[in-house]
Every structure is written in C-alpha cells, then in structure tokens.
Amino acid sequence: MPYVNKPRPYKHEYEMQKKRGEHENRMERQRARRKLDKEGVDRSGKDVSHVKALSKGGSNKDGVRQEAQSKNRARNYKKKKA
C-alpha cells in the first residue's frame, strides 16, 4: 500500500503528468465530455470515444462518439499489429 506513512505528493504527480504529456489529453477528454453534456446527451453507462485516438494524435476536431464502456476500453492502441 503506497503512502501509508506519508502524504500523497499530488503536486509532484501533477508535474509528472504534464512532463509526460498526459495533461493535454486529459483536458481534451474533459472538453469532449462537457460538450456532450452541454448538448443534453445522456451519457449514463457510456464513454465518450474519440474517432481518432488521442494516443495516435487525434483530437476533438477529428470527432467524438458515444460508445459502450466495454467496447471503448477493450481497444488496445498500444499493441503492435503483426
């Protein structure tokens, strides 16, 4: 169990996210969810999936769609194709 005897270093974790480039992708995902919420779309039990994955250089401009959680999270974009 990490951080049992010491507080969790949130500031350090946030800085590491920014260094790794995760911060921008997280903000992009958040913007996509908020856009659907603003349009009044019921997202219960669903994920907002990007047409072109953020890990492959996609953005909200490429389009987003609503998709089942199991289908969206089953994709493994990091796996190399033979």
Side-chain angles (χ1 to χ4, degrees):
M1 235 157 68
Y3 309 119
V4 174
N5 297 322
K6 56 186 174 181
R8 186 171 168 184
Y10 290 104
K11 190 173 185 177
H12 177 69
E13 288 180 13
Y14 180 66
E15 291 301 320
M16 293 306 294
Q17 275 184 351
K18 288 192 333 190
K19 281 184 183 178
R20 288 189 300 255
E22 296 173 2
H23 179 74
E24 291 79 17
N25 287 342
R26 184 166 50 90
M27 291 296 111
E28 197 75 9
R29 288 186 194 95
Q30 199 168 348
R31 278 188 226 104
R33 287 192 297 268
R34 286 179 179 164
K35 181 182 174 191
L36 286 181
D37 288 343
K38 193 174 184 180
E39 292 173 1
V41 176
D42 182 27
R43 296 190 299 116
S44 57
K46 303 280 185 174
D47 274 357
V48 177
S49 171
H50 286 81
V51 173
K52 184 175 181 183
L54 295 176
S55 62
K56 299 290 184 185
S59 69
N60 289 344
K61 292 177 184 174
D62 297 324
V64 294
R65 60 179 167 238
Q66 193 170 353
E67 198 169 48
Q69 288 177 350
S70 58
K71 195 170 188 178
N72 186 35
R73 297 175 189 185
R75 266 188 231 103
N76 187 356
Y77 290 108
K78 295 178 182 173
K79 192 185 300 180
K80 293 185 178 179
K81 295 184 180 181

